[in-house]
Amino acid sequence: MSASAESLIADIPAFAPHARPATLLRPTASTPGVRDSSIGGPLLWPADEPWPVCRAPHLMEVREKLSDEERETWQRIDSDMEERHRRNPGRGYEVTAEEARIQHQIMAGASMLDKITWERCRWVGDTSGPGVPMVPVVQLYSRNVPGEHWPAGMDVLQVLWCPNDHSELPGQPYYSGPTVELRYRSSSAVETVLNPPRPDRADEGYLPQPCAVDPVEIVDLPERDELPEDLYDEGCRWADARGIEYHRALACRSGWKVGGWPSWHLTDLIPIDCSCGARMRLFLTMESSNDGPDIVVGRFGELRIFTCPTDLSHPIRLNIQ
């Protein structure tokens, strides 16, 4: 038996209660149709059903030119800082408390200073316009991705997002990224298909290239924070003896994934709870890549969708790592 989560469980049965089924989607560039499972492909969307539009505030960059006096003051502070470093190379580039106060005053709450144009830049929520049409991200048929997450009578899952960044979305604490919608439907109920509108404003990183999927079912295991310490150590020793890493090879498998366990590689474990009090489960992972769908979320990270294990109608939660 190869070094897999199944073989680990066979050797260390204590891992069995922690195992979760998952499906790796393995997208490749293609031209899928509406009756195919796909990433970034066309959706089986009824012609008489309105296409979803995002009306949440979109983050828009606003630039403000520094006055001549502000620019000269900032340049003088930079010059003084460089001179102090030249005299004492063993120390870093530092500003005094008074200089930091003046810079803070010049920035006036802006997040960045462009020293080429000498503009301070800030991000604000923009609600002007009629809203932005959502774009297709994922379409999955139950025949390709079986599991317990399908509502009765439904065999198609569709995931759409707004191709723009948002922050402080209702019900999404500590999240900044695209708004996301999930739709389930019965393929047999769709006779004619809608040709969706295209967004007039979009971040190119949120426009996935069409891909077919090649699903493979796996068993996924959790990382350190979800396991007893001694069991985690035993799993790492088992993996090391076979020349693999426990994380990502056996646990929290990376890639476009349905189900399984989330990785908390950038932060400590963040328990995500539903409004009903239930601990939510990882439902879908969408991964940044330079090939295939060719999308970028966060700092080239993963956007994860969590759902309530007791009621799929409860609001989803979003997280980026």
Side-chain angles (χ1 to χ4, degrees), residues 67-132:
S67 69
D68 291 341
E69 181 181 357
E70 289 173 330
R71 175 177 174 174
E72 291 168 2
T73 300
W74 196 286
Q75 289 175 318
R76 184 178 64 252
I77 291 173
D78 281 350
S79 178
D80 291 346
M81 176 180 62
E82 290 170 0
E83 177 63 18
R84 288 193 294 269
H85 178 72
R86 186 186 67 79
R87 293 179 179 178
N88 190 354
R91 300 189 64 176
Y93 291 90
E94 300 173 349
V95 296
T96 67
E98 176 62 14
E99 289 170 340
R101 184 192 68 78
I102 294 171
Q103 287 182 329
H104 181 76
Q105 185 178 29
I106 291 173
M107 288 299 289
S111 58
M112 186 189 77
L113 177 64
D114 186 335
K115 291 186 179 181
I116 297 176
T117 62
W118 289 99
E119 295 171 314
R120 51 183 167 245
C121 310
R122 68 181 81 244
W123 291 93
V124 300
D126 177 28
T127 57
S128 63
V132 176

Side-chain angles (χ1 to χ4, degrees), residues 166-203:
H166 306 73
S167 64
E168 300 180 1
L169 291 171
Q172 306 294 342
Y174 314 114
Y175 173 79
S176 178
T179 57
V180 178
E181 283 196 25
L182 270 60
R183 299 288 181 97
Y184 287 94
R185 64 179 77 256
S186 169
S187 60
S188 62
V190 182
E191 297 179 356
T192 56
V193 179
L194 180 70
N195 185 24
R198 292 191 59 81
D200 57 1
R201 56 183 293 177
D203 182 328

Side-chain angles (χ1 to χ4, degrees), residues 246-297:
Y246 176 80
H247 181 63
R248 293 305 201 186
L250 304 172
C252 308
R253 295 284 296 273
S254 61
W256 289 71
K257 179 176 72 175
V258 178
W261 287 91
S263 170
W264 299 102
H265 49 279
L266 295 183
T267 66
D268 293 332
L269 170 67
I270 302 174
I272 296 183
D273 297 327
C274 182
S275 56
C276 71
R279 175 78 176 275
M280 302 185 84
R281 280 199 167 203
L282 177 64
F283 175 64
L284 178 65
T285 301
M286 296 173 282
E287 184 182 62
S288 298
S289 64
N290 287 322
D291 55 7
D294 191 20
I295 68 161
V296 178
V297 293

